[in-house]
Amino acid sequence: MNEPTAPPPAPPGGPPPGGSSSGGTPPGGAAPPRPGNAWERRGELGFLEGLAGGLRGFVTSPGATFAETRTSGDLGSPLLFAILVAVVTGVIGQIWAMLVGSSMLTMLPAEFREGLGAFMVASGGGLVVGLFVVPIVTLIWIFIWGAIVHVLLVLVGGLDSSEAGFEGTLRVVAYSSVGNLAKLVPVVGGLISVVWMIFLMIIGLTRIHGTSEGRAVAAVLLPVVLCCVCGMGLVMVGFGAVMSGWSN
């Protein structure tokens, strides 16, 4: 009789029983830590390169940039990013307005030049004041708008699978403020910036909280629609009061 042949040994390097091959989901199903966007990695890239990379990322490829953005820790980074965008946008916009005003002075009668010149000097002083006021206003806006959007996310079930919490929503609102750069576009810049920031917040909420686009749209657009309705209501009330005064 032939002796039984022993089974061949398992090939080396194979996955352990019940495990997964390299690159799979880590034990326990936890998602791998995010590397952070370019701005969050400015410590290794350098301040200016990190800022330029962050701006470029959120402008040209917001989905991929939000996907690598950290969901927790170092909340100061997104807040500082939003403040820098607001300050730079405000300074450039003010300088642009002063340059345009200077060119217009030569086209006006002499009796108007003195008054407008004094106004431009006052605008220059307002620029200095704005450097201190803009950061405070920016932080207030981020926390108020972030709280509104976060509450609506809870109501529509957009945080059921999220581990980022309120901090994640603040990050989205802060980084979405890059849309303020559109305010530098003459005439229509304000409207473009609002639409752009809404678009960025919807993308950011889906990437940071892992929610659906529908829930993200609802959380962002509901307060916008409510503000528009309230604004139209105030306009109608004011118009009715004026018309009533004229009729009397």
Side-chain angles (χ1 to χ4, degrees):
M1 295 181 62
N2 296 331
E3 296 182 358
T5 304
S20 60
S21 58
S22 176
T25 304
R34 299 188 177 194
N37 57 55
W39 169 248
E40 293 172 338
R41 292 183 286 110
R42 64 190 180 279
E44 57 185 89
L45 298 176
F47 185 88
L48 292 179
E49 186 176 350
L51 178 59
L55 291 171
R56 183 171 56 251
F58 286 111
V59 170
T60 61
S61 54
T65 305
F66 272 117
E68 64 183 9
T69 297
R70 295 166 186 162
T71 58
S72 61
D74 189 22
L75 182 58
S77 284
L79 297 180
L80 179 59
F81 181 88
I83 290 174
L84 290 175
V85 170
V87 169
V88 170
T89 303
V91 169
I92 295 177
Q94 191 71 23
I95 293 175
W96 174 251
M98 293 174 65
L99 291 176
V100 173
S102 298
S103 63
M104 291 180 61
L105 281 177
T106 60
M107 303 168 56
L108 296 175
E111 56 268 21
F112 292 103
R113 295 178 186 176
E114 183 177 353
L116 285 178
F119 174 76
M120 291 176 61
V121 172
S123 298
L127 176 61
V128 177
V129 175
L131 293 177
F132 297 96
V133 176
V134 167
I136 299 174
V137 174
T138 300
L139 290 177
I140 293 174
W141 176 81
I142 290 174
F143 278 90
I144 292 178
W145 190 255
I148 294 173
V149 172
H150 195 74
V151 169
L152 287 172
L153 273 177
V154 173
L155 295 178
V156 300
L159 299 177
D160 293 345
S161 59
S162 173
E163 297 180 357
F166 182 48
E167 181 179 348
T169 305
L170 289 179
R171 288 175 177 273
V172 171
V173 175
Y175 283 127
S176 297
S177 66
V178 74
N180 281 319
L181 294 175
K183 292 180 179 179
L184 299 177
V185 178
V187 184
V188 296
L191 177 60
I192 294 176
S193 68
V194 171
V195 176
W196 191 4
M197 283 192 288
I198 290 174
F199 173 74
L200 290 174
M201 279 189 279
I202 292 172
I203 294 179
L205 293 176
T206 59
R207 299 301 192 275
I208 296 296
H209 289 300
T211 187
S212 66
E213 291 184 356
R215 289 186 173 92
V217 168
V220 174
L221 289 187
L222 281 177
V224 174
V225 172
L226 181 60
C227 289
C228 291
V229 171
C230 292
M232 292 179 62
L234 291 175
V235 170
M236 295 298 293
V237 170
F239 181 76
V242 171
M243 294 300 295
S244 176
W246 283 352
S247 62
N248 294 331

